Amino acid sequence: MLQVILKLTGIFAVVSFLAIACGGGDVPTQAPQNTTAPPEVSFGQPGGPIPPHAFVGTVTVDGAAAVDGTQVTAFLEGVPDSVAGTTVTDGRYVIKIVQRSSSSTLFADRKITFKIGGRDGSPTAVWISGAADELNLVVGSGAPPAVDAPPPVDVPAGALAISTEGDTLKFDQASLEAKAGSTVTVVFQNASTINQHNWVLVQSGTKDEVAAAGTEAGAEAHWIPSGDDRVLAKSGLLEPGGTQEVRFTVPAAGTYQFVCTFPGHNFTMFGDFIATP
Ligand SMILES: [Cu+2]
């Protein structure tokens, strides 16, 4: 019995210690002291550091989490070169935008824009010295995954629309047609509420081989082999509810295939693409 009491006392002591160590209980936590001089004092004075503006958040490209290594660059309104850059890790980025004290360009209250893999991202922000913000960046058709069936998509005049048959592993069109040599826009909507899909135009008779190569390329590659001559046009891997416009030059007259290269989908999710003379 005594042993049990001693054991319990020991556990209590450990719990109390942890509570204090973690700043819990009645122990007040000390806010970190800001010892940095305020920006208005530092501007233009050599050696006077100006606290940067930090941003962290997720990066979504065409409805899917950005692959590792995707470039994120920040631009200051009116400055042609980027003012900061980083790369995506695990779908997230961290960027600190520093105004050098020697800089003649004052950053305060100016607009910050972001590029993701060279494309204009959203949203934008305003630079504030010492601020740290959670800002989730999106580029392309980066609508957040829909919970319900997505609404109809606006299809531009002359574009070809293709979707999925709800949650089945099928496209809603058995074939698409466009004039050889013309520039066409395929608007691909992933109408599924559960599955990721892509739309890939490939040489005739190669859909299963390309899908197998895509499986080897992996999810980071959107299940599409890179630098593969059999791939003629492609969307990214779209989250449920996502939409992407794929713009490309229609190849020479003939019959081609389109397919979803998500592992296993290629057996039911494909169709013919006919390039008319
Ligand atoms: Cu699919």
Side-chain angles (χ1 to χ4, degrees):
M1 187 61 192
L2 182 65
Q3 273 184 327
V4 171
I5 290 167
L6 279 175
K7 209 170 187 179
L8 284 175
T9 311
I11 289 167
F12 179 74
V14 168
V15 169
S16 303
F17 172 76
L18 281 177
I20 291 163
C22 298
D26 293 333
V27 181
T29 46
Q30 189 81 33
Q33 293 288 314
N34 185 2
T35 53
T36 317
E40 52 271 26
V41 177
S42 305
F43 279 151
Q45 293 179 7
I50 301 162
H53 191 163
F55 295 92
V56 299
T58 58
V59 182
T60 305
V61 176
D62 298 325
V67 297
D68 280 7
T70 301
Q71 291 278 346
V72 176
T73 41
F75 290 81
L76 184 75
E77 192 175 24
V79 177
D81 295 325
S82 66
V83 290
T86 186
T87 52
V88 171
T89 304
D90 293 334
R92 296 182 65 83
Y93 79 104
V94 178
I95 206 166
K96 273 187 188 176
I97 304 176
V98 182
Q99 180 193 296
R100 288 186 300 274
S101 53
S102 59
S103 173
S104 58
T105 306
L106 302 184
F107 283 24
D109 299 328
R110 295 178 68 181
K111 188 173 161 190
I112 297 285
T113 57
F114 296 90
K115 280 196 176 185
I116 300 154
R119 296 157 72 189
D120 291 326
S122 60
T124 62
V126 171
W127 195 87
I128 300 164
S129 177
D133 289 317
E134 172 105 24
L135 191 72
N136 294 331
L137 300 176
V138 176
V139 68
S141 56
V147 175
D148 301 319
V153 168
D154 283 337
V155 177
L160 302 172
I162 185 162
S163 183
T164 61
E165 277 189 12
D167 290 332
T168 67
L169 300 182
K170 282 182 99 174
F171 286 113
D172 71 343
Q173 311 265 358
S175 71
L176 295 172
E177 194 176 298
K179 192 169 163 50
S182 67
T183 302
V184 72
T185 301
V186 169
V187 181
F188 171 49
Q189 182 188 25
N190 179 1
S192 171
T193 59
I194 46 175
N195 290 310
Q196 295 178 322
H197 296 296
N198 61 24
W199 182 91
V200 184
L201 179 67
V202 299
Q203 295 285 4
S204 180
T206 67
K207 72 170 178 71
D208 294 332
E209 294 162 30
V210 171
T215 298
E216 262 177 50
E220 292 79 14
H222 295 203
W223 305 113
I224 302 167
S226 65
D228 191 312
D229 289 344
R230 297 168 294 187
V231 175
L232 305 172
K234 60 184 191 289
S235 75
L237 184 64
L238 299 195
E239 292 295 330
T243 299
Q244 189 181 352
E245 292 185 10
V246 185
R247 201 168 159 77
F248 58 97
T249 302
V250 178
T255 301
Y256 302 82
Q257 287 181 306
F258 58 82
V259 60
C260 171
T261 61
F262 190 101
H265 293 193
N266 53 298
F267 300 112
T268 53
M269 225 175 152
F270 62 94
D272 286 332
F273 187 96
I274 297 149
T276 57

